[in-house]
Amino acid sequence: AQSVTQLDSHVSVSEGTPVLLRCNYSSSYSPSLFWYVQHPNKGLQLLLKYTSAATLVKGINGFEAEFKKSETSFHLTKPSAHMSDAAEYFCAVSDHSSASKIIFGSGTRLSIRP
Amino acid sequence: EPEVTQTPSHQVTQMGQEVILRCVPISNHLYFYWYRQILGQKVEFLVSFYNNEISEKSEIFDDQFSVERPDGSNFTLKIRSTKLEDSAMYFCASSVRPTPNTEAFFGQGTRLTVV
């Protein structure tokens, strides 16, 4: 069975400092992994995805994530936080045990201090 | 840029009433999904739809729920008799191929409030 654990429900960083949002996954098959962002009162926007190609994935807005199979992790990072990064971030997994569904983590709220 | 469109953005309904949430997926996509997010909780899978039939559904998707693609462009979610606990944000999504192989594009959501 697939599952995702986001280790922090809330992360607060100062503007200009690095961001680290942690995600661990469980999957019986080779997974595809995703990070989505949700700004207040908005839908889910894909930041980046891993689908068994390069383990370091670059996404939009300067975010990137590294797939580490040995650690079953897919942490999201950004070198320098911007005020506009304040949002809810969801890690998600999908694999071939199910042809269609994505399993989401519980989300991490990112706050940026001026 | 093509996008998934959902209407209405906010729906208020009385308990026991039927509601239909509407979605227009991206035009060349073949796989369609509904997810929901109860306030403060995680996004949960409800149902996937391909080739005019349900591919997979979760235990949340009971007999009160149904989906339909009535005219080749719209994709609807019907809740037959709403309950207070159906209050949530409902997201429609679509993809070209099944989601392990490609990304799903999500709409902006419909906030359903059952009173």
Side-chain angles (χ1 to χ4, degrees):
Chain A
Q2 314 161 63
S3 68
V4 171
T5 302
Q6 290 184 246
L7 297 157
D8 307 294
S9 59
H10 183 209
V11 169
S12 179
V13 302
S14 297
E15 190 175 20
T17 64
V19 174
L20 170 64
L21 304 184
R22 297 183 292 167
C23 171
N24 286 94
Y25 71 90
S26 173
S27 173
S28 303
Y29 300 82
S30 297
S32 295
L33 292 157
F34 310 87
W35 275 98
Y36 284 87
V37 61
Q38 183 182 31
H39 290 276
N41 300 313
K42 300 288 187 184
L44 296 164
Q45 180 185 19
L46 182 71
L47 275 180
L48 50 81
K49 65 180 187 286
Y50 165 79
T51 54
S52 74
T55 56
L56 182 62
V57 182
K58 293 188 185 301
I60 61 171
N61 300 335
F63 283 95
E64 61 182 41
E66 186 171 7
F67 173 71
K68 292 186 177 180
K69 187 175 180 179
S70 61
E71 298 176 11
T72 61
S73 68
F74 190 59
H75 301 333
L76 181 71
T77 60
K78 182 173 180 177
S80 176
H82 191 272
M83 294 300 292
S84 61
D85 294 328
E88 188 89 15
Y89 291 78
F90 293 95
C91 182
V93 64
S94 182
D95 69 27
H96 295 276
S97 66
S98 159
S100 51
K101 68 182 176 187
I102 300 172
I103 302 297
F104 285 84
S106 52
T108 298
R109 183 164 58 91
L110 176 63
S111 300
I112 311 296
R113 301 186 299 270
Chain B
E1 186 176 323
E3 59 182 16
V4 176
T5 307
Q6 290 186 243
T7 54
S9 56
H10 190 192
Q11 171 109 33
V12 181
T13 189
Q14 286 200 321
M15 191 169 55
Q17 295 296 302
E18 174 184 286
V19 294
I20 298 176
L21 309 183
R22 302 180 193 279
C23 169
V24 179
I26 295 173
S27 61
N28 63 331
H29 286 188
L30 301 176
Y31 295 81
F32 313 109
Y33 317 87
W34 284 101
Y35 288 77
R36 80 171 184 190
Q37 183 184 29
I38 295 172
L39 188 64
Q41 299 185 24
K42 65 170 69 176
V43 178
E44 303 172 289
F45 170 79
L46 290 178
V47 67
S48 59
F49 191 85
Y50 169 70
N51 201 26
N52 280 321
E53 59 184 32
I54 291 174
S55 311
E56 188 171 358
K57 60 183 181 180
S58 71
E59 53 273 13
I60 302 167
F61 194 87
D62 61 22
D63 292 343
Q64 292 298 312
F65 291 88
S66 62
V67 289
E68 194 177 34
R69 191 157 157 79
D71 57 11
S73 62
N74 290 285
F75 179 52
T76 62
L77 174 70
K78 181 193 293 187
I79 309 175
R80 220 176 316 278
S81 176
T82 49
K83 302 187 284 286
L84 293 176
E85 53 265 37
D86 294 327
S87 295
M89 180 75 93
Y90 287 82
F91 292 106
C92 174
S94 69
S95 62
V96 174
R97 296 184 296 279
T99 48
N101 305 313
T102 189
E103 69 180 274
F105 289 81
F106 284 77
Q108 299 288 83
T110 293
R111 181 168 297 286
L112 176 65
T113 303
V114 182
V115 297

